[in-house]
Amino acid sequence: MINNNIFMEQLNKYYTVWQECNNVYEEWAKAHGLSMNSLLIFFSIQEDKQNCTQKAISQKWLIPKQTVNMILKDFEKRGLIELITMQKDKRNKLIQFTTEGKEYADSIISELRKVELFVIEKIGIERMKQLNDTNALFVELFKRAGGKNA
């Protein structure tokens, strides 16, 4: 049987790497004049053009609705997005980029993608697949063991 100290050492290393990964993205966003939440909201608007709502963003990224609302109001004031009342559900508004907003978000996201793709190329596709598969397995097993949303 493996010594519990070895498990704890690896778990602590996982925590450190997880936090460092989050910090790298936070710092990247900050260097580009954004918060991490603003960057995530850009991703949502770009990815889900037909159904992007405040609620969907909040649920996808686990960002409080008030925070999403505050960021969206700022984006709207800066002319980056427009809010369109949805025909099927008048209580929700579809979030779409303005032309200026799309250009700005595309430039930010494409720059980030270049960095990420460079990293993946250096890591190698097999190691990247292993990383993703291992993280997915960790999440699945965590849920089964009694983690939230189990």
Side-chain angles (χ1 to χ4, degrees):
M1 180 161 180
I2 297 178
N3 184 332
N4 236 8
N5 289 336
I6 294 171
F7 284 144
M8 289 308 300
E9 181 181 313
Q10 289 304 308
L11 187 58
N12 286 333
K13 185 175 182 178
Y14 172 76
Y15 294 154
T16 300
V17 171
W18 176 26
Q19 188 60 45
E20 286 175 357
C21 186
N22 287 334
N23 286 340
V24 165
Y25 276 90
E26 285 277 353
E27 290 300 315
W28 191 94
K30 188 190 299 184
H32 291 80
L34 297 168
S35 68
M36 187 63 200
N37 288 338
S38 296
L39 183 60
L40 295 174
I41 290 171
F42 274 162
F43 278 122
S44 289
I45 298 169
Q46 188 181 57
E47 288 175 0
D48 196 11
K49 296 172 181 73
Q50 303 305 316
N51 295 307
C52 188
T53 64
Q54 179 178 327
K55 182 178 179 181
I57 294 169
S58 179
Q59 289 175 339
K60 178 176 184 168
W61 299 110
L62 303 175
I63 303 171
K65 287 181 189 175
Q66 299 89 333
T67 302
V68 173
N69 189 308
M70 182 183 71
I71 292 168
L72 291 175
K73 283 184 179 184
D74 177 59
F75 286 173
E76 187 176 31
K77 186 168 41 171
R78 292 168 49 195
L80 301 175
I81 63 163
E82 55 189 358
L83 304 174
I84 302 163
T85 302
M86 297 180 79
Q87 295 302 319
K88 293 180 183 176
D89 184 358
K90 305 249 187 237
R91 296 172 297 160
N92 285 312
K93 294 187 187 232
L94 182 65
I95 305 160
Q96 292 183 335
F97 285 123
T98 60
T99 303
E100 179 185 342
K102 181 172 178 2
E103 289 173 9
Y104 178 65
D106 285 351
S107 71
I108 294 287
I109 292 170
S110 69
E111 189 175 336
L112 178 58
R113 290 294 189 230
K114 284 178 189 172
V115 173
E116 292 170 323
L117 292 173
F118 170 83
V119 171
I120 292 171
E121 186 178 322
K122 293 297 179 189
I123 289 172
I125 196 66
E126 284 308 312
R127 287 178 72 187
M128 193 66 200
K129 285 179 184 178
Q130 289 172 354
L131 174 67
N132 287 329
D133 291 346
T134 301
N135 281 331
L137 180 59
F138 186 95
V139 169
E140 180 185 328
L141 294 173
F142 187 91
K143 287 179 180 179
R144 272 197 238 161
K148 192 168 177 145
N149 298 325

